[in-house]
Amino acid sequence: MLVNPSLILGLIHNIALLLATSLLFDFFWTQQEGEQQFWNKIFTGIFMGVIGVVLMLTPWVLVPGLVFDTRSILLGISGLFFGPVPTFIAILITGVYRLFLGGDGQWMGLAVIISSGTIGLLWRRFRPGWNQKRRIAELYVLGLVIHVAMLVCTLLLPVGSVEYTVRTIALPVLIIYPLGTLLLGLLMFSRSHHWKIKRELFQSEEKFRQMFENSEAVMMLVDPESGRLVEANHAAARFYGYSIEELTRKNVQEINTLSPDEAIEVRRKALSSESTCFVIQHQLANREIRTVEIHSSPITFQGQTVLFSIIHDISERKLAEDALIEAKEKAEESDKLKSAFLATMSHELRTPLNAIIGFSSVMEEENDPVEMKQYAGIINSSGNHLLSIIESIFDVALLQSGEYKVNKTQFSVEDFFQPLIDYANVEKIKRNKDHLDVIAIFPHGIKPPIIHSDRGKLMQLMTNLLNNAIKYTKQGRIEFGFSVHDRDITFYVSDTGIGIPASIVDIIFDQFRQGDENHTRVHDGVGLGLAICKEIACLLNGKIWLETSENEGSTFHCTLYDVLVEENHPEQSVSGLLNPINLTGKTILVVDDMEENIYLLKKFLHSTRATLLDANSGESAIRQIMENPGIDLVYMDIKMPGMDGYEAIHELLKIRPGLDIIAQTAHAVKGVKEKIKEAGCIGYISKPIKREEIYRGLADLFGS
Ligand code: ADP
């Protein structure tokens, strides 16, 4: 038999030992981090050397002193995989041990050790791509080369045993050893490949961990199944106000405000990447609710699929966004309102203007005094209507800017109601609604109280409410009255009119808002009445509200707080004084740059029988004062070209200190009243001038 079976068995046994030991090595190898470290190389070399020695301990003995084992495979593979340092150490250890064993084969054995390691190293150096494509062939050829060299090394045996040895071992060595090299090489390759992947994974996990822990962004890893918080970083701990340990004991369910079903759905979407961004609300440790934007996607971490979530606190951004949306909606709304407002205004202003312009032109051709009087009446009431619209606009502006000074007096509610009844009756007639019953109710058994408030403003509020009640009621009755509670009084005006739909109750107190904002609206008005009422109620330390039911009617209430007074000495109300005072012997100078204004004022003053002079400028007024020392009173227009009213007043008072001057002003805007007073005027009248106002002022001045 050409091949000795015990030789084959011995070699197989030795190869098995080699492979098993290499697994042991693999165990150590994979525990080490960083193949390149010097000490690691030393350790590897020693380990390989020790395996070599172990192999040599279980050899197949050809003749005493001539032994065969698989150290050639081990050293070749060591050269190929681990490079010079470990291989030299392994060569050294195994070489020394072989010399220690001695015998005929010691030089051959040493030569095999050196040649195997060197061939492995050369292979590594000159065929670096051996493991890329034809790995199996490369390893097999490497095995062949190493073991051909081994056969060559038999030349170092004593001359007589060379031939015998070569004949005995050549075939098994060339068949089994290359296969052993191939097997060990493949095993080492697969382990080192596995190790490389593991190391890369470890490094990438390490990088991830560092990024995760040191990031300023709030990050968490969530178990997609249970919702348990697997990991949380420092930023998360700072944000939520829990420690990392506390957080990792929690379930996301404990920090979000979603229902369990919603939370499961969010995790499902994130896991399937159906959606990766969610805006939800999270609760912090201090119970504060924050709006957060979560970017969540699945990753593999430590072999487990988790949801990697980055959490941004967008509460401020959300608030700003909401404010922007609200502002945009408001802008759109106000755009719509603007059109409605312009249409209303245009209609409301044109209607009286139409009457004024139309009837004044008709008057020019009219000779019949009765007709003339009727036209004059229409022009007057249209003018007053126009004035009331303009006054409303100024009123809201002044009330809202805090310009209005409250002028509180004590007055009796009973006295206060009488003019309201008169007003309502006149309005009824004006609106052709004589059939409406308007009733003032005094609560039973209560003496109408005395209150301390601004009578004029309260009157304006109540007349607005009464006006609306009459306007929006076709039939039925209108009732107004009051009730008392402690020191508070609540006035009310109720009607059986069209009522207000619940959907617009909230807006009707806003300026320019009306129940019907269509072009087809049937009622007049510019939508300022209730806005004025609300401002007045506020100004008088009160509130206004309503109860209403569509098609059944409305009741507006206005409570004034802390206005009831015990003492019963109301100030006398000044009744409308239409008869002018007799000023025979007095001289009045009217100063205005507009001729028609001079004409109108002189017309009103005519019936006082005073001597009337006029001037159309400041300069002309000064001349007249110097020429005419008998002037008792001056009506001075404030806004004039050239020398304005203030300058003229200043000059006049220099010439005639103590001269009575009443200013005429278009409207009492911010600071004008104070300025007029400072200039030295005894009072002012506002345009359009009202006859009653003039007469009342003159009575105050010259009354006694
Ligand atoms: P307007 O000039 O339109 O009357 P207001 O500010 O006085 O303006 O009232 C606002 C809106 O409130 C009205 O357009 C109307 O729709 C509603 N309203 C006010 N008072 C009443 C009332 N007594 N009955 C029904 N609707 C009313």
Side-chain angles (χ1 to χ4, degrees):
M1 203 174 152
L2 201 58
V3 179
N4 186 336
S6 71
L7 167 62
I8 294 179
L9 276 177
L11 287 181
I12 290 175
H13 174 246
N14 207 253
I15 286 175
L17 183 68
L18 171 65
L19 295 182
T21 329
S22 74
L23 279 180
L24 187 68
F25 165 78
D26 178 63
F27 172 76
F28 282 105
W29 182 254
T30 52
Q31 303 306 307
Q32 307 303 314
E33 305 306 338
E35 184 190 14
Q36 305 308 325
Q37 280 171 19
F38 178 73
W39 286 111
N40 199 28
K41 287 177 182 171
I42 303 282
F43 170 78
T44 307
I46 295 171
F47 203 93
M48 295 307 279
V50 171
I51 295 179
V53 171
V54 171
L55 293 176
M56 282 189 272
L57 287 173
T58 55
W60 174 75
V61 184
L62 182 61
V63 288
L66 182 55
V67 294
F68 289 90
D69 51 58
T70 51
R71 81 192 92 128
S72 54
I73 298 176
L74 176 80
L75 289 163
I77 289 297
S78 167
L80 184 66
F81 278 85
F82 306 124
V85 176
T87 308
F88 285 145
I89 294 172
I91 287 174
L92 195 69
I93 294 172
T94 46
V96 168
Y97 182 67
R98 182 62 192 89
L99 290 181
F100 165 75
L101 288 180
D104 283 351
Q106 68 173 346
W107 297 115
M108 179 204 163
L110 187 61
V112 167
I113 287 171
I114 294 169
S115 68
S116 306
T118 311
I119 291 169
L121 284 173
L122 291 175
W123 213 272
R124 177 188 171 95
R125 171 78 177 76
F126 295 106
R127 297 198 63 81
W130 68 268
N131 53 3
Q132 303 293 317
K133 274 189 187 157
R134 289 181 298 269
R135 199 162 38 242
I136 293 178
E138 287 271 349
L139 286 170
Y140 186 73
V141 174
L142 171 69
L144 267 182
V145 173
I146 290 172
H147 295 99
V148 167
M150 181 177 171
L151 289 180
V152 172
C153 290
T154 53
L155 294 175
L156 294 173
L157 290 171
V159 182
S161 54
V162 174
E163 196 195 332
Y164 167 72
T165 307
V166 170
R167 243 188 304 116
T168 315
I169 66 163
L171 209 54
V173 161
L174 291 181
I175 293 172
I176 296 173
Y177 275 60
L179 281 177
T181 312
L182 171 64
L183 269 181
L184 182 63
L186 285 179
L187 185 73
M188 292 298 285
F189 174 78
S190 106
R191 299 315 296 166
S192 76
H193 186 64
H194 170 82
W195 173 83
K196 203 171 144 213
I197 290 173
K198 214 173 151 188
R199 191 178 55 170
E200 279 169 7
L201 190 70
F202 175 81
Q203 282 172 346
S204 90
E205 278 193 358
E206 191 53 32
K207 262 192 223 152
F208 172 77
R209 177 171 290 284
Q210 279 189 11
M211 187 267 297
F212 182 82
E213 278 177 4
N214 301 332
S215 174
E216 281 303 310
V218 177
M219 294 177 176
M220 296 195 299
L221 299 182
V222 178
D223 178 7
E225 295 304 323
S226 64
R228 195 177 62 78
L229 289 176
V230 180
E231 292 276 353
N233 68 356
H234 295 291
R238 279 196 299 276
F239 175 63
Y240 289 103
Y242 295 110
S243 66
I244 292 181
E245 292 67 37
E246 282 172 324
L247 274 174
T248 47
R249 277 199 299 271
K250 286 191 184 298
N251 190 296
V252 275
Q253 202 57 48
E254 294 171 60
I255 55 170
N256 67 36
T257 57
L258 299 173
S259 70
D261 286 348
E262 286 169 334
I264 289 172
E265 183 60 8
V266 164
R267 295 204 299 274
R268 185 195 66 73
K269 281 186 176 166
L271 187 62
S272 63
S273 298
E274 187 182 319
S275 143
T276 53
C277 181
F278 308 89
V279 174
I280 56 176
Q281 298 201 307
H282 274 183
Q283 190 176 47
L284 312 184
N286 62 9
R287 310 225 143 257
E288 198 183 322
I289 303 281
R290 309 292 290 181
T291 305
V292 293
E293 185 180 81
I294 303 182
H295 294 268
S296 189
S297 44
I299 60 163
T300 305
F301 181 73
Q302 293 177 342
Q304 191 194 349
T305 300
V306 291
L307 292 175
F308 173 45
S309 302
I310 303 176
I311 294 122
H312 295 293
D313 180 5
I314 57 160
S315 306
E316 269 76 38
R317 194 178 89 195
K318 189 88 177 52
L319 283 179
E321 271 173 17
D322 289 351
L324 264 180
I325 292 170
E326 202 182 317
K328 178 176 159 271
E329 281 168 1
K330 270 200 179 144
E332 285 168 358
E333 168 101 348
S334 84
D335 214 39
K336 261 197 269 158
L337 272 179
K338 200 175 77 190
S339 316
F341 163 70
L342 285 178
T344 310
M345 269 302 183
S346 167
H347 173 262
E348 290 300 314
L349 295 177
R350 275 168 202 275
T351 309
L353 272 174
N354 188 37
I356 294 169
I357 295 167
F359 282 104
S360 54
S361 72
V362 173
M363 272 172 89
E364 285 177 15
E365 293 136 30
E366 186 59 72
N367 294 325
D368 180 358
V370 181
E371 293 278 305
M372 291 267 274
K373 204 168 175 197
Q374 199 187 340
Y375 298 161
I378 296 172
I379 292 172
N380 186 273
S381 74
S382 300
N384 277 329
H385 182 51
L386 198 59
L387 180 64
S388 75
I389 295 174
I390 294 167
E391 274 176 352
S392 301
I393 295 171
F394 274 103
D395 275 351
V396 219
L398 289 175
L399 280 163
Q400 285 186 338
S401 64
E403 293 297 302
Y404 254 111
K405 293 227 161 31
V406 185
N407 180 17
K408 287 192 179 169
T409 54
Q410 287 182 14
F411 57 93
S412 132
V413 172
E414 191 171 13
D415 288 352
F416 176 69
F417 268 31
Q418 191 50 51
L420 285 177
I421 297 170
D422 298 343
Y423 172 83
N425 285 327
V426 173
E427 277 306 301
K428 256 175 31 176
I429 296 163
K430 272 208 226 158
R431 290 188 181 270
N432 294 326
K433 293 191 177 173
D434 313 20
H435 56 281
L436 282 182
D437 288 333
V438 180
I439 313 164
I441 307 254
F442 289 82
H444 222 57
I446 298 183
K447 201 168 151 256
I450 308 293
I451 61 170
H452 184 240
S453 189
D454 187 324
R455 190 178 196 276
K457 285 279 145 261
L458 191 57
M459 184 66 79
Q460 193 178 354
L461 183 150
M462 288 298 282
T463 51
N464 267 340
L465 294 183
L466 277 171
N467 186 20
N468 277 349
I470 296 167
K471 184 159 69 172
Y472 296 109
T473 306
K474 256 197 197 139
Q475 60 220 9
R477 67 188 229 148
I478 289 155
E479 196 181 298
F480 66 101
F482 67 90
S483 63
V484 166
H485 183 74
D486 293 339
R487 286 172 52 82
D488 309 335
I489 187 164
T490 300
F491 295 99
Y492 70 88
V493 176
S494 92
D495 63 56
T496 53
I498 60 172
I500 300 168
S503 58
I504 57 158
V505 163
D506 287 343
I507 60 151
I508 56 159
F509 287 102
D510 295 346
Q511 37 181 308
F512 302 119
R513 298 307 304 262
Q514 297 178 294
D516 181 1
E517 286 168 352
N518 297 319
H519 296 279
T520 51
R521 54 195 292 270
V522 286
H523 298 103
D524 62 329
V526 287
L528 285 175
L530 290 182
I532 293 174
C533 290
K534 188 176 155 194
E535 293 296 336
I536 291 177
C538 255
L539 195 71
L540 302 185
N541 182 29
K543 64 168 185 190
I544 185 165
W545 78 102
L546 81 153
E547 290 161 308
T548 182
S549 170
E550 219 176 334
N551 298 323
E552 283 180 23
S554 320
T555 303
F556 285 82
H557 304 267
C558 171
T559 299
L560 302 184
Y561 298 106
D562 202 18
V563 287
L564 258 63
V565 283
E566 303 294 327
E567 313 90 274
N568 193 353
H569 44 77
E571 286 153 22
Q572 287 301 310
S573 63
V574 189
S575 60
L577 182 78
L578 271 172
N579 295 332
I581 187 169
N582 189 339
L583 297 179
T584 311
K586 301 274 182 207
T587 304
I588 300 175
L589 171 65
V590 177
V591 188
D592 202 307
D593 61 316
M594 303 287 285
E595 204 135 315
E596 47 279 40
N597 288 349
I598 294 180
Y599 181 75
L600 183 67
L601 191 49
K602 279 171 81 175
K603 197 93 192 131
F604 287 163
L605 293 171
H606 183 72
S607 43
T608 62
R609 303 213 177 113
T611 306
L612 301 175
L613 303 175
D614 61 81
N616 61 3
S617 67
E619 293 86 351
S620 156
I622 294 168
R623 260 198 314 279
Q624 298 233 26
I625 287 288
M626 291 206 289
E627 285 164 14
N628 198 337
I631 293 174
D632 299 283
L633 173 67
V634 178
Y635 280 100
M636 175 67 75
D637 184 24
I638 291 294
K639 206 166 178 308
M640 286 188 295
M643 179 185 278
D644 75 355
Y646 293 119
E647 209 181 329
I649 293 166
H650 185 68
E651 293 303 321
L652 292 189
L653 289 175
K654 261 208 275 181
I655 302 165
R656 282 265 307 274
L659 175 66
D660 289 334
I661 305 175
I662 294 177
Q664 308 178 55
T665 164
H667 45 73
V669 289
K670 191 177 171 114
V672 170
K673 284 190 227 167
E674 288 74 17
K675 222 172 149 188
I676 287 171
K677 232 181 174 173
E678 271 169 33
C681 293
I682 54 163
Y684 73 91
I685 50 172
S686 49
K687 290 177 180 174
I689 295 160
K690 287 176 208 82
R691 206 190 281 248
E692 291 79 3
E693 204 182 340
I694 300 232
Y695 293 165
R696 203 170 290 140
L698 290 176
D700 285 349
L701 187 60
F702 300 113
S704 56

